[in-house]
């Protein structure tokens, strides 16, 4: 299973380079300049032959059409819901899949022919693993909770509004905020309104959505409920390597990166992030276009192949991440797990979330660390030593494909 999931992750990463995204939306214009697709990870992993009990059906959002809450192509949004049991019956965990943003007619039109823009292309069943697993050995703290995987089909981290739509007959719907509102109302109507504990999580662009909507999520739930949020591999840097992209941004673009907007989040947030995020390294730090001679080619494929000079540059990238997180780290209620692995999202897959071979810091897996933080069993602000000091790391190797 581990090899199947890794193959799925590699397939997904290969076509994740097709777009760099940035979308404006009303109230605040939130521009992001990256693309990372996790739908193919989840989708490809779920296509593995699994027992029926491990598969969760797709539910299309009720009343979505009446509310104008539509995917990019105008189809109904969807989610997968697995009912909680036992002590978790009144607790809710939501996980938003990733998939980047689209910002042009061409990129959004392409996107609407995939599961990232249309429920017509979404798998009708997906497997729940990692943070969504119902297996206590894989997910010790949240296995019995009500769990929802939110499918991502609006192209803007559930932040778009009709005012952002093109007015030239392209039939593209930017309704992410409306989807979010309709989805929350539907989940509240099926039991989430009685939540005693709730956890909004997400991977990559889905993690950004979790942070964007974190305080709103808190406000919709009972005042007595414990509500927290988690962003996995979502701390994208405003770095000098992005100068060519910044020129196309709106003024005051710094306010649009996680480092800035997370300052204003009132609800407790946990950050899971690799210090050597392969997507940022491969697409932002040293993209193909910046390396015409192929100096970085083998290093980008496998961190074990990096020479000392390259590792020093990657260490500088790590230092930039830690510097960007320094203010967040000072928050009393903040949680962190920053390991030195060459990977991207780590919460959706058992192999990296919680297993005998999962990455660890101070002998704690990501699942154990997140659980300790969520349930106030102790402060959790874990920062790994620089590569290659951690032998438990799951490092992606792209030379195999």
């Amino acid at each position: 299973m581990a090899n199947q999931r890794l193959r799925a992750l590699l397939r997904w990463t290969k076509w994740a380079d097709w777009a760099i995204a940035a979308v404006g939306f009303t109230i605040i214009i939130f521009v992001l300049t990256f693309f990372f697709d996790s739908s193919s990870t989840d989708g490809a992993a779920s296509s593995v032959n699994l027992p029926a009990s491990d598969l969760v059906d797709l539910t299309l959002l009720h009343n979505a059409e009446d509310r104008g809450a539509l995917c990019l192509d105008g189809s109904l949004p969807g989610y997968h819901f697995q009912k909680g049991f036992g002590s978790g019956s009144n607790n809710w965990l939501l996980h938003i899949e990733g998939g980047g943003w689209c910002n042009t007619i061409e990129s959004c039109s392409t996107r609407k022919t995939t599961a990232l823009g249309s429920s017509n292309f979404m798998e009708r069943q997906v497997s729940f693993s990692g943070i969504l697993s119902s297996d206590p050995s894989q997910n010790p703290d949240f296995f019995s909770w009500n769990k929802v995987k939110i499918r991502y089909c609006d192209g803007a981290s559930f932040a778009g509004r009709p005012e952002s739509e093109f007015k030239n007959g392209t039939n593209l719907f930017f309704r992410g905020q409306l989807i979010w509102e309709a989805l929350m109302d539907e989940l509240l109507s099926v039991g989430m309104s009685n939540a005693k504990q709730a956890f909004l999580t997400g991977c990559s662009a889905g993690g950004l959505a979790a942070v964007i909507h974190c305080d709103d999520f808190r406000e919709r739930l009972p005042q007595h409920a414990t509500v927290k949020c988690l962003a996995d591999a979502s701390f994208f840097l405003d770095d000098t390597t992005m100068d060519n992209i910044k020129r196309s941004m709106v003024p005051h673009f710094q306010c649009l990166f996680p480092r800035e907007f997370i300052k204003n989040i009132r609800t407790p947030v946990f950050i899971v992030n690799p210090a050597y995020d392969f997507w940022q390294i491969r697409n932002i730090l040293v993209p193909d276009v910046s390396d015409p001679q192929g100096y970085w080619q083998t290093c980008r494929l496998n961190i074990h192949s990096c020479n000392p000079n390259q590792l020093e540059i990657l260490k500088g990238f790590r230092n930039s991440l830690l510097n960007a997180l320094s203010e967040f780290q000072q928050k009393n209620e903040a949680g962190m797990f920053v390991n030195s692995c060459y990977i991207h999202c780590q919460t959706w897959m058992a192999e990296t979330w919680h297993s005998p071979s999962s990455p660890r810091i101070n002998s704690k897996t990501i699942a154990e660390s997140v659980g300790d933080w969520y349930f106030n069993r102790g402060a959790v602000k874990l920062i790994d030593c620089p590569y290659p000091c951690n032998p438990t790391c799951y490092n992606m190797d792209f030379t195999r494909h």
Side-chain angles (χ1 to χ4, degrees):
M1 180 64 70
N3 289 335
Q4 289 171 322
R5 291 189 188 280
L6 286 174
R7 285 196 295 270
L9 185 56
L10 286 164
R11 286 196 300 271
W12 146 63
T13 305
K14 281 185 176 180
W15 71 275
D17 296 346
W18 70 270
I20 292 179
V23 173
F25 62 87
T26 52
I27 303 179
I28 57 174
I29 300 175
F30 186 93
V31 182
L32 294 174
T33 56
F34 65 92
F35 176 78
F36 186 80
D37 166 27
S38 71
S39 76
S40 295
T41 50
D42 296 349
S46 67
S47 67
V48 176
N49 292 326
L50 296 169
S53 60
D54 291 334
L55 297 173
V56 183
D57 291 335
L58 175 69
T59 299
L60 296 180
L61 194 58
H62 300 86
N63 300 320
E65 189 168 7
D66 293 340
R67 300 181 61 164
L70 305 172
C71 295
L72 274 174
D73 71 333
S75 61
L76 301 180
Y79 63 92
H80 303 261
F81 171 48
Q82 188 174 68
K83 191 172 179 58
F85 56 91
S87 61
S89 296
N90 290 318
N91 300 330
W92 289 74
L93 189 148
L94 281 57
H95 185 77
I96 307 174
E97 70 175 349
W101 290 36
C102 66
N103 70 315
T104 65
I105 292 175
E106 182 180 5
S107 63
C108 293
S109 295
T110 299
R111 190 185 188 94
K112 76 176 187 178
T113 63
T114 73
L116 289 172
S118 172
S119 59
N120 294 327
F121 298 93
M122 294 177 185
E123 306 89 338
R124 266 33 199 178
Q125 292 183 317
V126 299
S127 61
F128 273 19
S129 60
I131 198 170
L132 289 172
S133 176
S134 294
D135 182 348
S137 68
Q138 184 180 143
N139 193 20
D141 284 306
F142 308 108
F143 70 93
S144 63
W145 288 30
N146 296 283
K147 294 182 288 292
V148 181
K149 176 178 178 176
I150 301 172
R151 302 306 296 266
Y152 173 36
C153 69
D154 75 290
S157 290
F158 296 92
R161 290 181 176 273
E163 297 93 314
S164 303
E165 292 174 1
F166 299 111
K167 308 300 181 184
N168 58 359
T170 54
N171 293 320
L172 290 169
F173 299 87
F174 300 112
R175 308 289 179 86
Q177 181 64 34
L178 300 183
I179 295 173
W180 169 260
E181 293 168 359
L183 176 64
M184 289 300 100
D185 288 346
E186 182 154 320
L187 295 180
L188 288 167
S189 74
V190 298
M192 197 170 70
S193 60
N194 298 317
K196 295 180 179 178
Q197 297 174 311
F199 201 10
L200 177 62
T201 74
C203 154
S204 198
L208 285 168
V211 176
I212 290 169
H213 295 289
C214 185
D215 284 341
D216 179 71
F217 183 63
R218 161 68 278 182
E219 291 170 4
R220 292 174 181 270
L221 294 169
Q223 187 175 0
H224 60 77
T226 299
V227 181
K228 300 185 180 184
C229 303
L230 177 148
D232 177 12
S234 305
F235 210 89
F236 286 79
L237 297 179
D238 166 24
D239 193 81
T240 54
T241 59
M242 301 176 71
D243 281 346
N244 62 320
I245 299 169
K246 290 177 185 177
R247 287 193 289 270
S248 67
M249 290 185 168
V250 296
H252 311 299
F253 60 84
Q254 292 93 340
C255 300
L256 313 177
F257 285 87
R259 177 178 185 169
E260 297 300 324
F261 70 73
I262 204 168
K263 296 176 182 178
N264 300 314
I265 306 299
R266 301 182 300 276
T267 308
V269 175
F270 193 101
I271 298 293
V272 177
N273 225 88
Y276 300 82
D277 183 331
F278 75 69
W279 193 89
Q280 291 202 64
I281 290 171
R282 287 163 57 91
N283 294 275
I284 295 175
L285 183 66
V286 281
D288 282 334
V289 294
S290 70
D291 185 33
Q293 304 302 317
Y295 174 72
W296 282 88
Q297 183 176 357
T298 57
C299 176
R300 292 168 75 253
L301 293 174
N302 185 336
I303 194 170
H304 297 308
S305 300
C306 298
N307 63 42
N309 290 336
Q310 291 168 331
L311 288 177
E312 194 63 26
I313 292 173
L314 297 186
K315 184 178 178 181
F317 181 82
R318 170 185 178 271
N319 292 339
S320 295
L321 173 67
L322 298 183
N323 179 62
L325 284 167
S326 59
E327 187 171 347
F328 171 78
Q329 187 179 359
Q330 302 309 311
K331 289 188 173 185
N332 290 333
E333 293 186 315
M336 295 170 55
F337 187 102
V338 180
N339 57 14
S340 291
C341 306
Y342 191 60
I343 197 164
H344 192 60
C345 294
Q346 299 180 87
T347 58
W348 70 275
M349 192 167 63
E351 290 77 16
T352 47
W353 172 246
H354 187 70
S355 76
S357 59
S358 289
R360 285 166 166 76
I361 301 178
N362 295 345
S363 301
K364 294 274 189 176
T365 64
I366 297 172
E368 291 169 329
S369 303
V370 171
D372 286 347
W373 169 80
Y374 187 94
F375 295 104
N376 299 318
R377 296 192 290 249
V380 180
K381 294 177 181 177
L382 300 174
I383 298 177
D384 211 352
C385 46
Y387 174 88
C389 72
N390 190 339
T392 70
C393 268
Y394 237 77
N395 295 311
M396 296 303 297
D397 181 359
F398 296 96
T399 62
R400 298 177 183 176
H401 293 259

